[in-house]
PDB file of all heavy atoms in Angstrom:
ATOM      1  N   THR A 173     180.987 200.382 198.771  1.00  0.00           N
ATOM      2  CA  THR A 173     180.704 199.426 197.690  1.00  0.00           C
ATOM      3  C   THR A 173     179.987 200.035 196.491  1.00  0.00           C
ATOM      4  O   THR A 173     179.793 199.357 195.484  1.00  0.00           O
ATOM      5  CB  THR A 173     179.849 198.253 198.206  1.00  0.00           C
ATOM      6  OG1 THR A 173     178.533 198.745 198.566  1.00  0.00           O
ATOM      7  CG2 THR A 173     180.493 197.593 199.410  1.00  0.00           C
ATOM      8  N   LEU A 177     179.089 199.065 191.702  1.00  0.00           N
ATOM      9  CA  LEU A 177     177.911 199.192 190.846  1.00  0.00           C
ATOM     10  C   LEU A 177     178.170 200.127 189.669  1.00  0.00           C
ATOM     11  O   LEU A 177     177.845 199.800 188.524  1.00  0.00           O
ATOM     12  CB  LEU A 177     176.724 199.699 191.656  1.00  0.00           C
ATOM     13  CG  LEU A 177     176.168 198.740 192.712  1.00  0.00           C
ATOM     14  CD1 LEU A 177     175.114 199.439 193.566  1.00  0.00           C
ATOM     15  CD2 LEU A 177     175.588 197.490 192.062  1.00  0.00           C
ATOM     16  N   LEU A 265     163.221 195.318 199.650  1.00  0.00           N
ATOM     17  CA  LEU A 265     163.863 194.107 199.144  1.00  0.00           C
ATOM     18  C   LEU A 265     163.374 192.918 199.965  1.00  0.00           C
ATOM     19  O   LEU A 265     163.946 192.568 200.996  1.00  0.00           O
ATOM     20  CB  LEU A 265     165.383 194.247 199.229  1.00  0.00           C
ATOM     21  CG  LEU A 265     165.976 195.414 198.431  1.00  0.00           C
ATOM     22  CD1 LEU A 265     167.460 195.561 198.726  1.00  0.00           C
ATOM     23  CD2 LEU A 265     165.736 195.225 196.929  1.00  0.00           C
ATOM     24  N   GLN A 270     170.562 187.435 205.164  1.00  0.00           N
ATOM     25  CA  GLN A 270     171.605 188.060 205.966  1.00  0.00           C
ATOM     26  C   GLN A 270     172.671 188.653 205.070  1.00  0.00           C
ATOM     27  O   GLN A 270     173.205 187.975 204.208  1.00  0.00           O
ATOM     28  CB  GLN A 270     172.254 187.021 206.898  1.00  0.00           C
ATOM     29  CG  GLN A 270     173.338 187.564 207.801  1.00  0.00           C
ATOM     30  CD  GLN A 270     172.783 188.414 208.938  1.00  0.00           C
ATOM     31  OE1 GLN A 270     171.716 188.154 209.442  1.00  0.00           O
ATOM     32  NE2 GLN A 270     173.526 189.431 209.327  1.00  0.00           N
ATOM     33  N   GLY A 271     172.961 189.921 205.262  1.00  0.00           N
ATOM     34  CA  GLY A 271     174.002 190.560 204.468  1.00  0.00           C
ATOM     35  C   GLY A 271     175.374 189.997 204.823  1.00  0.00           C
ATOM     36  O   GLY A 271     175.578 189.442 205.908  1.00  0.00           O
ATOM     37  N   ASN A 272     176.334 190.137 203.922  1.00  0.00           N
ATOM     38  CA  ASN A 272     177.673 189.596 204.153  1.00  0.00           C
ATOM     39  C   ASN A 272     178.715 190.700 204.249  1.00  0.00           C
ATOM     40  O   ASN A 272     179.869 190.510 203.885  1.00  0.00           O
ATOM     41  CB  ASN A 272     178.051 188.618 203.027  1.00  0.00           C
ATOM     42  CG  ASN A 272     179.227 187.739 203.423  1.00  0.00           C
ATOM     43  OD1 ASN A 272     179.414 187.442 204.596  1.00  0.00           O
ATOM     44  ND2 ASN A 272     180.023 187.345 202.456  1.00  0.00           N
ATOM     45  N   TYR A 273     178.287 191.861 204.746  1.00  0.00           N
ATOM     46  CA  TYR A 273     179.208 192.987 204.900  1.00  0.00           C
ATOM     47  C   TYR A 273     179.975 192.758 206.199  1.00  0.00           C
ATOM     48  O   TYR A 273     179.685 193.335 207.238  1.00  0.00           O
ATOM     49  CB  TYR A 273     178.429 194.294 204.952  1.00  0.00           C
ATOM     50  CG  TYR A 273     179.150 195.476 204.370  1.00  0.00           C
ATOM     51  CD1 TYR A 273     178.462 196.634 204.050  1.00  0.00           C
ATOM     52  CD2 TYR A 273     180.512 195.445 204.124  1.00  0.00           C
ATOM     53  CE1 TYR A 273     179.116 197.731 203.510  1.00  0.00           C
ATOM     54  CE2 TYR A 273     181.171 196.536 203.580  1.00  0.00           C
ATOM     55  CZ  TYR A 273     180.463 197.671 203.280  1.00  0.00           C
ATOM     56  OH  TYR A 273     181.103 198.763 202.750  1.00  0.00           O
ATOM     57  N   GLY A 283     170.576 194.069 207.420  1.00  0.00           N
ATOM     58  CA  GLY A 283     171.258 195.182 206.771  1.00  0.00           C
ATOM     59  C   GLY A 283     172.204 194.678 205.694  1.00  0.00           C
ATOM     60  O   GLY A 283     172.936 193.710 205.907  1.00  0.00           O
ATOM     61  N   VAL A 284     172.176 195.324 204.543  1.00  0.00           N
ATOM     62  CA  VAL A 284     173.044 194.913 203.438  1.00  0.00           C
ATOM     63  C   VAL A 284     173.803 196.125 202.930  1.00  0.00           C
ATOM     64  O   VAL A 284     173.418 197.275 203.146  1.00  0.00           O
ATOM     65  CB  VAL A 284     172.241 194.271 202.280  1.00  0.00           C
ATOM     66  CG1 VAL A 284     171.596 192.971 202.721  1.00  0.00           C
ATOM     67  CG2 VAL A 284     171.188 195.236 201.734  1.00  0.00           C
ATOM     68  N   SER A 285     174.898 195.861 202.247  1.00  0.00           N
ATOM     69  CA  SER A 285     175.676 196.936 201.634  1.00  0.00           C
ATOM     70  C   SER A 285     174.950 197.449 200.398  1.00  0.00           C
ATOM     71  O   SER A 285     173.996 196.828 199.906  1.00  0.00           O
ATOM     72  CB  SER A 285     177.056 196.406 201.246  1.00  0.00           C
ATOM     73  OG  SER A 285     176.923 195.430 200.218  1.00  0.00           O
ATOM     74  N   THR A 286     175.423 198.559 199.856  1.00  0.00           N
ATOM     75  CA  THR A 286     174.804 199.133 198.666  1.00  0.00           C
ATOM     76  C   THR A 286     174.918 198.197 197.466  1.00  0.00           C
ATOM     77  O   THR A 286     173.974 198.048 196.690  1.00  0.00           O
ATOM     78  CB  THR A 286     175.444 200.496 198.341  1.00  0.00           C
ATOM     79  OG1 THR A 286     175.240 201.369 199.462  1.00  0.00           O
ATOM     80  CG2 THR A 286     174.816 201.123 197.108  1.00  0.00           C
ATOM     81  N   VAL A 287     176.059 197.548 197.312  1.00  0.00           N
ATOM     82  CA  VAL A 287     176.200 196.636 196.168  1.00  0.00           C
ATOM     83  C   VAL A 287     175.310 195.414 196.335  1.00  0.00           C
ATOM     84  O   VAL A 287     174.739 194.908 195.358  1.00  0.00           O
ATOM     85  CB  VAL A 287     177.677 196.225 195.943  1.00  0.00           C
ATOM     86  CG1 VAL A 287     178.188 195.313 197.039  1.00  0.00           C
ATOM     87  CG2 VAL A 287     177.841 195.553 194.577  1.00  0.00           C
ATOM     88  N   GLU A 288     175.146 194.926 197.561  1.00  0.00           N
ATOM     89  CA  GLU A 288     174.225 193.810 197.788  1.00  0.00           C
ATOM     90  C   GLU A 288     172.789 194.229 197.477  1.00  0.00           C
ATOM     91  O   GLU A 288     172.023 193.462 196.882  1.00  0.00           O
ATOM     92  CB  GLU A 288     174.332 193.325 199.226  1.00  0.00           C
ATOM     93  CG  GLU A 288     175.612 192.553 199.530  1.00  0.00           C
ATOM     94  CD  GLU A 288     175.710 192.170 200.995  1.00  0.00           C
ATOM     95  OE1 GLU A 288     175.662 193.082 201.866  1.00  0.00           O
ATOM     96  OE2 GLU A 288     175.828 190.971 201.287  1.00  0.00           O
ATOM     97  N   ALA A 289     172.422 195.444 197.878  1.00  0.00           N
ATOM     98  CA  ALA A 289     171.077 195.942 197.584  1.00  0.00           C
ATOM     99  C   ALA A 289     170.862 196.034 196.077  1.00  0.00           C
ATOM    100  O   ALA A 289     169.798 195.650 195.566  1.00  0.00           O
ATOM    101  CB  ALA A 289     170.875 197.305 198.234  1.00  0.00           C
ATOM    102  N   GLY A 290     171.869 196.536 195.355  1.00  0.00           N
ATOM    103  CA  GLY A 290     171.763 196.608 193.906  1.00  0.00           C
ATOM    104  C   GLY A 290     171.631 195.235 193.276  1.00  0.00           C
ATOM    105  O   GLY A 290     170.814 195.021 192.369  1.00  0.00           O
ATOM    106  N   TYR A 291     172.439 194.303 193.762  1.00  0.00           N
ATOM    107  CA  TYR A 291     172.375 192.928 193.249  1.00  0.00           C
ATOM    108  C   TYR A 291     170.996 192.315 193.482  1.00  0.00           C
ATOM    109  O   TYR A 291     170.398 191.717 192.576  1.00  0.00           O
ATOM    110  CB  TYR A 291     173.458 192.079 193.917  1.00  0.00           C
ATOM    111  CG  TYR A 291     173.246 190.593 193.742  1.00  0.00           C
ATOM    112  CD1 TYR A 291     173.602 189.953 192.556  1.00  0.00           C
ATOM    113  CD2 TYR A 291     172.659 189.831 194.743  1.00  0.00           C
ATOM    114  CE1 TYR A 291     173.380 188.598 192.376  1.00  0.00           C
ATOM    115  CE2 TYR A 291     172.432 188.474 194.577  1.00  0.00           C
ATOM    116  CZ  TYR A 291     172.802 187.855 193.396  1.00  0.00           C
ATOM    117  OH  TYR A 291     172.574 186.518 193.224  1.00  0.00           O
ATOM    118  N   LEU A 292     170.473 192.453 194.697  1.00  0.00           N
ATOM    119  CA  LEU A 292     169.178 191.865 195.039  1.00  0.00           C
ATOM    120  C   LEU A 292     168.061 192.483 194.207  1.00  0.00           C
ATOM    121  O   LEU A 292     167.160 191.783 193.735  1.00  0.00           O
ATOM    122  CB  LEU A 292     168.896 192.054 196.528  1.00  0.00           C
ATOM    123  CG  LEU A 292     169.761 191.222 197.479  1.00  0.00           C
ATOM    124  CD1 LEU A 292     169.635 191.744 198.907  1.00  0.00           C
ATOM    125  CD2 LEU A 292     169.374 189.750 197.415  1.00  0.00           C
ATOM    126  N   ALA A 293     168.124 193.796 194.028  1.00  0.00           N
ATOM    127  CA  ALA A 293     167.096 194.478 193.244  1.00  0.00           C
ATOM    128  C   ALA A 293     167.128 194.033 191.781  1.00  0.00           C
ATOM    129  O   ALA A 293     166.090 193.702 191.196  1.00  0.00           O
ATOM    130  CB  ALA A 293     167.292 195.992 193.344  1.00  0.00           C
ATOM    131  N   LEU A 307     178.528 190.438 193.291  1.00  0.00           N
ATOM    132  CA  LEU A 307     178.846 189.866 194.606  1.00  0.00           C
ATOM    133  C   LEU A 307     180.262 189.322 194.658  1.00  0.00           C
ATOM    134  O   LEU A 307     180.926 189.392 195.696  1.00  0.00           O
ATOM    135  CB  LEU A 307     177.852 188.751 194.952  1.00  0.00           C
ATOM    136  CG  LEU A 307     176.401 189.160 195.197  1.00  0.00           C
ATOM    137  CD1 LEU A 307     175.605 187.967 195.700  1.00  0.00           C
ATOM    138  CD2 LEU A 307     176.298 190.321 196.180  1.00  0.00           C
ATOM    139  N   PHE A 310     182.509 192.174 195.275  1.00  0.00           N
ATOM    140  CA  PHE A 310     182.293 192.581 196.663  1.00  0.00           C
ATOM    141  C   PHE A 310     183.070 191.666 197.616  1.00  0.00           C
ATOM    142  O   PHE A 310     183.782 192.132 198.517  1.00  0.00           O
ATOM    143  CB  PHE A 310     180.792 192.532 196.947  1.00  0.00           C
ATOM    144  CG  PHE A 310     180.402 192.703 198.385  1.00  0.00           C
ATOM    145  CD1 PHE A 310     180.705 193.868 199.074  1.00  0.00           C
ATOM    146  CD2 PHE A 310     179.705 191.705 199.039  1.00  0.00           C
ATOM    147  CE1 PHE A 310     180.320 194.030 200.398  1.00  0.00           C
ATOM    148  CE2 PHE A 310     179.312 191.857 200.351  1.00  0.00           C
ATOM    149  CZ  PHE A 310     179.630 193.022 201.034  1.00  0.00           C
ATOM    150  N   GLU A 311     182.961 190.358 197.408  1.00  0.00           N
ATOM    151  CA  GLU A 311     183.657 189.393 198.266  1.00  0.00           C
ATOM    152  C   GLU A 311     185.171 189.561 198.165  1.00  0.00           C
ATOM    153  O   GLU A 311     185.891 189.508 199.172  1.00  0.00           O
ATOM    154  CB  GLU A 311     183.253 187.966 197.880  1.00  0.00           C
ATOM    155  CG  GLU A 311     181.840 187.580 198.268  1.00  0.00           C
ATOM    156  CD  GLU A 311     181.671 187.484 199.775  1.00  0.00           C
ATOM    157  OE1 GLU A 311     182.667 187.188 200.461  1.00  0.00           O
ATOM    158  OE2 GLU A 311     180.556 187.706 200.248  1.00  0.00           O
TER     159      GLU A 311
END
Side-chain angles (χ1 to χ4, degrees):
T173 67
L177 292 173
L265 300 173
Q270 181 73 34
N272 197 30
Y273 212 164
V284 295
S285 66
T286 300
V287 70
E288 287 176 303
Y291 165 80
L292 290 166
L307 293 187
F310 170 61
E311 288 292 332

